[in-house]
Amino acid sequence: IKEEGPMSFKEFMEMGLYYPELGYYNAKSSRIGPAGDFYTSPCLSSIFGTLIGKQLEEMWRKLGSRPFTVVEYGAGTGQLCHDILDHLKHNEELYSNLRYCIIERSPVMKEIEQSHLLEKVEWHNSIKTVHGLNGCVLSNELVDNGAVHQVIQGKELMEVFIDHNNKNFVEVLQPAPEGLKNYLKELQIDLPEGYRAEINLQATDWIKEAATVLQRGYVMTIDYGYLSAELYKPCKSCGTLVSYTRHTVNDGFYEHIGGQDITAHVNFSALIHWGAKSGLRELGFTAQGPFLLAMGFRECLQQEFSGETDVILAAQKASRLSHTLLIDMGSKFKILLQGKNVNNDRLSGFQLTKKQV
């Protein structure tokens, strides 16, 4: 900033999260789970990965039970991959024809993944090197970690930049470039004056790239967020950007830089819109809770605690897990399914949702 002047919030966020060795996701410390800053569904129970695995099995059958590739973006600790593979091992025909590729930009996370994912997994820096992709592009809590532009609607659309006054970071506004204006125009979003919002152009680039490389199959995106109609309601006029540290939420984005997560809600309408422009058809959109129930959550839960000798303790554990995965995270997280060169059949995980949520 001292050398070149104010930087966009997007650039600031990118550095805070991914700067080599100092960025949040590239620092050698625990980020996920009880000792970290936030939980993900896979770290709470293997049931989540089991049910994702069951959905992948159905995709494989829909595609003709042929060689099947899973590309998982941002696998984190690798727990979801581990639980998916653990389930798919029981289907010998699928497992023998399975290729599992992880796209991981964090060297620290990649090292953790490689320490325990010892078979069936290969790592790539880009999906462009995954040739002959027929199967599923999968992500869980990936898109919300993309660096976002912040805009404020004034007489014209303004973008938030970050400056420094030799004491503190301060926000300054500059006229937004055409790319940000076109984003809102294409999605038919008309922000009222004074409204603050995030625009994630990395998400649109990501879905376009995935759609281009995928030859035949599905893209399944799991994340927290909304469709445009909900995301840009008047009650969200301050935006959705938050920081996480030690399982608490704050808006101190310019403090503890590199030591806390910064994240914004996903605009699923953008993924649907730019996915469609790149050849992906929307096949389903639901909350995590209905998806897990449709895939057999209750049966898996019963099996999970069937060996417990203390019936009361088992019931309490099962109740807490159900509430977290089906209600707390189950309503917050959404699952978008898109397809390319596949039929329009509704997959099992989306059977309980008759309309968009």
Side-chain angles (χ1 to χ4, degrees), residues 41-42 45 47 53-54 78 86 99 114 120 127 132 179 202 214 233 296 323 337 344:
S41 294
S45 171
I47 292 176
K54 288 180 65 177
D86 204 43
R99 182 184 181 200
Q114 291 181 329
K120 273 296 176 188
I127 195 173
Q202 289 185 350
L214 180 66
K233 279 186 172 180
H323 191 274
L337 182 69
N344 204 31

Side-chain angles (χ1 to χ4, degrees), residues 71-261:
V71 175
E72 183 183 354
Y73 271 88
T77 64
Q79 188 62 51
L80 177 58
C81 172
H82 173 275
D83 295 338
I84 288 173
L85 293 178
D86 204 43
H87 172 76
L88 295 182
K89 283 179 182 177
H90 300 292
N91 185 331
E92 294 183 5
E93 183 182 358
L94 167 56
Y95 198 71
S96 64
N97 286 284
L98 177 67
R99 182 184 181 200
Y100 203 109
C101 304
I102 290 178
I103 312 294
E104 182 59 71
R105 66 181 298 185
S106 167
V108 174
M109 291 300 182
K110 183 177 180 180
E111 185 177 329
I112 294 172
E113 294 157 11
Q114 291 181 329
S115 69
H116 69 99
L117 299 175
L118 305 179
E119 63 177 53
K120 273 296 176 188
V121 182
E122 54 190 74
W123 281 262
H124 294 256
N125 293 324
S126 168
I127 195 173
K128 293 178 181 179
T129 61
V130 182
H131 304 296
L133 178 47
N134 294 276
C136 180
V137 178
L138 171 67
S139 69
N140 179 54
E141 295 197 58
L142 169 84
V143 183
D144 68 271
N145 287 319
V148 298
H149 297 267
Q150 280 201 95
V151 296
I152 297 177
Q153 184 65 55
K155 298 299 182 183
E156 64 174 303
L157 189 68
M158 306 295 287
E159 183 176 5
V160 176
F161 278 68
I162 311 303
D163 202 352
H164 197 270
N165 60 11
N166 294 321
K167 188 176 181 180
N168 299 304
F169 288 103
V170 293
E171 295 184 353
V172 295
L173 300 181
Q174 297 184 14
E178 289 302 312
L180 299 182
K181 295 177 182 178
N182 289 337
Y183 176 96
L184 297 176
K185 184 178 179 180
E186 285 215 37
L187 293 177
Q188 300 180 348
I189 298 167
D190 187 16
L191 299 178
E193 190 167 341
Y195 200 103
R196 186 181 187 118
E198 301 86 29
I199 294 179
N200 190 343
L201 296 184
Q202 289 185 350
T204 61
D205 291 339
W206 171 76
I207 198 67
K208 288 186 287 187
E209 184 175 78
T212 300
V213 176
L214 180 66
Q215 295 182 357
R216 182 169 181 247
Y218 304 88
V219 178
M220 188 158 67
T221 307
I222 308 168
D223 223 314
Y224 53 88
Y226 306 99
L227 298 172
S228 289
E230 178 70 24
L231 186 63
Y232 297 108
K233 279 186 172 180
C235 62
K236 297 182 176 66
S237 62
C238 293
T240 66
L241 199 74
V242 295
S243 290
Y244 282 96
T245 181
R246 297 298 176 187
H247 303 282
T248 60
V249 180
N250 70 83
D251 59 1
F253 311 121
Y254 309 120
E255 302 170 3
H256 310 298
I257 301 169
Q260 60 181 354
D261 192 15

Side-chain angles (χ1 to χ4, degrees), residues 12 17 20 29 38 48 67 96 194 196 251 273 275 324:
F12 177 89
L17 294 180
S29 58
F38 56 88
F48 184 81
S96 64
R196 186 181 187 118
D251 59 1
H273 177 78
T324 301

